């Protein structure tokens, strides 16, 4: 298959899925990962897609919130590394809040597989996180769902969600973000989702942001948190030195998780 045919197929996959991974395309097309990277780089130079760690996303998803099913295919290794690090911030018996998005969902997966989830209570506006807890055979974890209006990312937002949240209190809130803007802070494309994230922060003793390094190069519309409102940012070690230095100067704690999947892909 010549390059133009491969690139046509890549764009076709993007139109139906919203995101593609290099490893999956390599297997599907029977070519090396390096060949797929070159095809993606060529399409990115033409403005037909955006390169992300491990693959590419459709340009139509950059300023709007992608579907949960699309986001779940993106940067899987990074999310695993961040999630595993974040589990250390939970103790048995804690009352925590988990926001929407796939990074927060992966965190919930790892947390529920660990002993640190014993006796915890989870407040969430994420339908997938609530379903994950509900599917557990163990009844040792309690989940409280906010209610509200459903977004494209399967999050519950709006006045109903905000009112429920305001009546409660949690030890720690774990939130994802669509983009990181220095020196402004953390942003979402959906203003209602931003407001609900702010409501969760208001009832938490501690706020932790879970986000991969690609979010420092994207953009969004609605600010939900300044750097001085956040206790810890957990990202991956793919964050460039300049961004890491500037972020450390603005936030109380920056944690860089190691992404082992990057080593596997390079091999």
């Amino acid at each position: 298959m010549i390059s133009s045919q491969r690139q046509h197929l890549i764009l076709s996959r993007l139109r139906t899925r919203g995101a593609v991974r290099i490893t999956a395309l390599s297997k599907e097309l029977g070519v090396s990962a390096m060949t797929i990277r070159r095809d993606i780089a060529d399409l990115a130079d033409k403005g037909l897609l955006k390169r992300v760690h491990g693959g590419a996303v459709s340009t139509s998803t950059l300023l709007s919130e992608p579907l949960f099913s699309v986001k779940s295919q993106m940067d899987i290794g990074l999310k695993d590394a961040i999630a595993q690090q974040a589990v250390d911030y939970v103790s048995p018996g804690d009352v925590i809040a988990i926001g929407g998005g796939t990074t927060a969902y992966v965190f919930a997966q790892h947390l529920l597989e660990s002993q640190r989830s014993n006796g915890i209570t989870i407040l969430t506006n994420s339908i997938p996180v609530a379903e994950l807890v509900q599917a557990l055979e163990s009844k040792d974890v309690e989940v409280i769902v906010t209610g509200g209006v459903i977004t494209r990312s399967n999050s519950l937002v709006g006045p109903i969600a905000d009112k429920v949240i305001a009546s409660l209190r949690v030890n720690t809130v774990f939130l994802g973000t669509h983009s990181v803007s220095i020196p402004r802070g953390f942003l979402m494309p959906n203003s209602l989702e931003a407001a609900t994230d702010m409501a969760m922060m208001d009832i938490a003793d501690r706020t932790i942001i879970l986000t991969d390094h690609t979010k420092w190069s994207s953009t969004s519309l609605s600010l939900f948190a300044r750097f001085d409102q956040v206790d810890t940012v957990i990202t991956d070690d793919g964050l460039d030195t300049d961004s890491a230095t500037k972020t450390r100067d603005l936030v109380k704690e920056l944690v860089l998780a190691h992404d082992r999947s990057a080593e596997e892909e390079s091999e």
Side-chain angles (χ1 to χ4, degrees), residues 9-22:
L9 186 141
I10 290 170
L11 292 175
S12 175
R13 295 292 182 270
L14 275 178
R15 280 192 294 273
T16 57
R17 302 173 186 170
V20 293
R21 290 187 56 77
I22 290 171

Side-chain angles (χ1 to χ4, degrees), residues 122-153:
I122 298 174
L123 168 68
T124 188
N125 69 324
S126 167
I127 294 174
V129 168
E131 291 176 340
L132 187 65
V133 178
Q134 188 65 23
L136 282 178
E137 292 184 6
S138 170
K139 301 301 181 183
D140 198 32
V141 179
E142 183 178 356
V143 62
I144 301 169
V145 184
T146 64
V149 178
I150 303 176
T151 68
R152 287 170 55 85
S153 59

Side-chain angles (χ1 to χ4, degrees), residues 82 85-86 89 208-212 232-236 254-255 257:
I82 293 164
Q85 195 78 51
Y89 288 79
I208 298 178
I209 300 291
L210 311 177
T211 183
D212 66 76
T232 301
V233 175
I234 303 178
T235 186
D236 61 276
L254 175 66
V255 178

Side-chain angles (χ1 to χ4, degrees), residues 51-253:
R51 298 169 70 181
V52 297
H53 179 84
V57 297
S58 169
T59 53
S60 65
T61 69
L62 299 184
L63 285 175
S64 62
E65 184 71 6
L67 292 169
F68 186 90
S69 58
V70 170
K71 292 170 69 179
S72 63
Q73 300 178 48
M74 297 159 57
D75 307 319
I76 296 172
L78 303 183
K79 292 170 185 173
D80 273 330
I82 293 164
Q84 289 170 21
Q85 195 78 51
V87 169
D88 292 340
Y89 288 79
V90 180
S91 298
D94 274 355
V95 179
I96 67 171
I98 302 178
T102 53
T103 304
Y105 176 77
V106 175
F107 159 66
Q109 288 180 309
H110 284 278
L111 175 60
L112 294 172
E113 291 170 358
S114 78
Q115 295 299 314
R116 289 177 177 268
S117 66
N118 291 342
I120 67 170
T121 298
I122 298 174
L123 168 68
T124 188
N125 69 324
S126 167
I127 294 174
V129 168
E131 291 176 340
L132 187 65
V133 178
Q134 188 65 23
L136 282 178
E137 292 184 6
S138 170
K139 301 301 181 183
D140 198 32
V141 179
E142 183 178 356
V143 62
I144 301 169
V145 184
T146 64
V149 178
I150 303 176
T151 68
R152 287 170 55 85
S153 59
N154 278 6
S155 299
L156 296 164
V157 301
I160 294 174
D162 298 350
K163 186 174 181 179
V164 171
I165 292 166
S167 67
L168 302 169
R169 190 78 192 175
V170 300
N171 301 124
T172 308
V173 60
F174 296 86
L175 298 172
T177 184
H178 190 266
S179 63
V180 182
S181 174
I182 297 174
R184 292 185 65 204
F186 306 91
L187 303 99
M188 301 294 286
N190 184 320
S191 60
L192 287 177
E193 190 161 7
T196 298
D197 283 349
M198 292 169 66
M200 284 193 173
M201 290 173 58
D202 285 343
I203 67 161
D205 297 328
R206 178 174 60 174
T207 296
I208 298 178
I209 300 291
L210 311 177
T211 183
D212 66 76
H213 75 273
T214 65
K215 303 302 171 58
W216 270 259
S217 60
S218 62
T219 186
S220 294
L221 299 175
S222 300
L223 183 75
F224 70 88
R226 302 187 309 272
F227 282 98
D228 62 3
Q229 294 176 298
V230 172
D231 296 281
T232 301
V233 175
I234 303 178
T235 186
D236 61 276
D237 55 8
L239 185 64
D240 65 272
T241 303
D242 183 56
S243 294
T245 299
K246 290 178 178 177
T247 302
R248 278 199 176 94
D249 290 339
L250 293 166
V251 77
K252 296 174 185 175
E253 181 186 28

